[in-house]
């Protein structure tokens, strides 16, 4: 598939922050109620409508069959990060910065708080790397935004839950439309089939390429957009005790991810040598994507 230059809109940025993360008044952030006269709000709503219509068990299986061959391209972590320079979140009401800037801001905040956890710094740097799928024809509703498990009843805290799933065929399938659906109660997060997006893809890329990042780093990457679980309180009937520890790591990570955006730009060139040393340590060389 040829490389494209997509207009990537990470709609999840528009619907944050969650009150548990915010360190300033919620009123300082935009109101994201449905308003058909507001083009920005409508764009967000339409994106989630597409996501919630098409993210089915069969769709996710199809994306796995395509992307988990890891034959789309090869690149070093740095090359893939620099490709993110072409991805600007035009939906962000406060900033208009390339994704790579956000990557370094996230990493540097993690580094400031936990200077001894070098794997956490690298996790901050690469957490959105899965968005490179957008260069290879993947629509934005299958790249960005909040994630949720397919194959069971949709959690009540999912964005636009009230009416956005009405055209999703899994809702009429008795195998998938019950509380547990195709899962066993308390089976654990790792047994769930998540909707397809940049979180799951990067997690799979790192596993495939033998990254030595610790398990908690891989879980932060895999579940950082799973807001209905870690912030909405849904899906606890499917999780287990181990997942509660994962949740604490994910919530900590999201403080770096969501609230590092500022107009103070990191000196990326000056920071590269340190982060390249982490790349060489945990995910060296050319990776198969």
């Amino acid at each position: 598939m040829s490389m494209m230059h997509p207009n990537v809109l990470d709609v999840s940025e528009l619907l944050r922050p969650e009150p548990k993360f915010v360190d300033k008044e919620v009123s300082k952030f935009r109101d994201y109620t449905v308003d058909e006269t507001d083009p920005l709000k409508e764009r967000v709503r339409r994106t989630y409508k597409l996501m919630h219509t098409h993210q089915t068990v069969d769709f996710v299986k199809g994306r796995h069959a395509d992307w988990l061959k890891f034959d789309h391209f090869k690149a070093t972590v740095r090359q893939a990060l620099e490709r993110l320079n072409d991805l600007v979140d035009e939906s962000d009401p406060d900033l208009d910065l390339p994704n790579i800037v956000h990557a370094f801001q996230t990493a540097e905040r993690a580094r400031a708080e936990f200077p001894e956890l070098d794997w956490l710094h690298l996790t901050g740097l690469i957490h959105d790397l899965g968005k490179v799928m957008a260069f290879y024809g993947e629509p934005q509703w299958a790249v960005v935004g909040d994630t949720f498990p397919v194959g069971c009843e949709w959690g009540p805290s999912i964005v636009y839950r009230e009416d956005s799933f009405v055209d999703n065929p899994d809702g009429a399938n008795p195998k998938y439309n019950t509380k547990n659906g195709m899962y066993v109660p308390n089976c654990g997060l790792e047994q769930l089939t998540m909707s397809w997006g940049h979180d799951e893809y990067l997690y799979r890329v790192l596993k495939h390429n033998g990254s030595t990042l610790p398990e908690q780093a891989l879980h932060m990457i895999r579940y950082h957009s799973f807001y209905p679980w870690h912030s909405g309180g849904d899906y606890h009937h499917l999780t287990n005790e181990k997942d509660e520890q994962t949740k604490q790591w994910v919530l900590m990570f999201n403080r770096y991810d969501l609230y590092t955006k500022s107009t103070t730009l990191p000196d990326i060139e000056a920071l590269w040598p340190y982060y390249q040393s982490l790349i060489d340590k945990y995910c060296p060389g050319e990776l198969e994507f």
Side-chain angles (χ1 to χ4, degrees):
M1 207 178 287
S2 61
M3 193 179 92
M4 305 169 63
H5 289 279
N7 177 18
V8 170
L9 165 71
D10 190 340
V11 293
S12 64
E13 300 293 338
L14 283 174
L15 292 155
R16 304 300 157 214
E18 301 291 341
K20 70 169 58 182
F21 294 118
V22 71
D23 55 15
K24 57 181 175 177
E25 293 178 37
V26 175
S27 62
K28 299 293 184 186
F29 294 85
R30 293 176 58 114
D31 170 22
Y32 300 109
T33 51
V34 173
D35 181 355
E36 294 180 2
T37 66
D38 186 323
L40 188 58
K41 290 181 183 179
E42 274 298 281
R43 185 165 56 175
V44 176
R45 187 185 64 80
R46 284 195 301 269
T47 298
Y48 271 104
K49 171 62 176 172
L50 287 167
M51 181 194 300
H52 295 167
T53 298
H54 298 296
Q55 290 272 7
T56 64
V57 172
D58 287 344
F59 172 78
V60 173
K61 286 179 179 177
R63 301 332 290 141
H64 286 186
D66 180 16
W67 285 99
L68 302 188
K69 293 175 184 172
F70 306 104
D71 61 357
H72 286 75
F73 65 100
K74 293 180 181 179
T76 64
V77 168
R78 178 165 181 165
Q79 287 168 338
L81 277 168
E82 289 178 338
R83 189 171 290 181
L84 294 186
N85 271 323
D86 292 324
L87 301 185
V88 176
D89 183 351
E90 296 179 355
S91 73
D92 194 312
D94 302 313
L95 293 174
D96 188 30
L97 294 174
N99 269 248
I100 196 171
V101 174
H102 169 58
F104 274 95
Q105 288 174 330
T106 305
E108 283 293 282
R109 179 161 174 182
R111 184 182 179 187
E113 186 167 346
F114 291 100
E116 73 281 8
L117 299 181
D118 64 353
W119 58 265
L120 182 62
H121 315 161
L122 182 61
T123 302
L125 188 73
I126 68 173
H127 72 282
D128 278 342
L129 204 53
K131 291 180 182 179
V132 296
M133 285 192 295
F135 289 112
Y136 293 85
E138 201 69 11
Q140 66 177 21
W141 54 262
V143 175
V144 301
D146 295 0
T147 60
F148 54 91
V150 295
C152 64
E153 185 178 80
W154 302 297
S157 73
I158 295 176
V159 174
Y160 301 114
R161 168 68 177 86
E162 202 169 297
D163 57 10
S164 61
F165 286 96
V166 293
D167 297 318
N168 187 310
D170 285 0
N173 189 330
K175 290 191 296 184
Y176 304 142
N177 64 8
T178 62
K179 186 174 183 180
N180 294 316
M182 62 184 192
Y183 306 110
V184 174
N186 303 116
C187 59
L189 284 181
E190 293 184 56
Q191 300 303 313
L192 304 182
T193 300
M194 298 300 296
S195 57
W196 185 246
H198 71 281
D199 303 42
E200 184 70 18
Y201 176 53
L202 180 59
Y203 167 78
R204 299 291 193 116
V205 166
L206 293 170
K207 293 283 282 187
H208 170 74
N209 286 280
S211 171
T212 56
L213 280 168
E215 184 179 57
Q216 57 264 44
L218 296 174
H219 286 163
M220 287 177 185
I221 288 165
R222 193 178 197 182
Y223 301 117
H224 73 270
S225 299
F226 189 10
Y227 283 89
W229 165 65
H230 65 62
S231 299
D234 298 340
Y235 298 105
H236 286 291
H237 59 291
L238 297 176
T239 60
N240 58 31
E241 194 173 323
K242 179 185 175 184
D243 298 332
E244 288 305 305
Q245 297 176 339
T246 298
K247 182 192 289 187
Q248 297 314 307
W249 283 108
V250 173
L251 290 173
M252 181 187 78
F253 175 76
N254 275 35
R255 288 192 289 111
Y256 310 135
D257 182 17
L258 297 177
Y259 303 107
T260 54
K261 293 192 179 73
S262 72
T263 53
T264 303
L265 302 182
D267 186 344
I268 291 176
E269 284 307 309
L271 291 171
W272 262 126
Y274 172 68
Y275 285 98
Q276 186 61 53
S277 73
L278 303 188
I279 293 167
D280 293 342
K281 180 177 179 180
Y282 291 109
C283 38
E286 199 173 55
L287 308 186
E288 293 177 339
F289 284 85

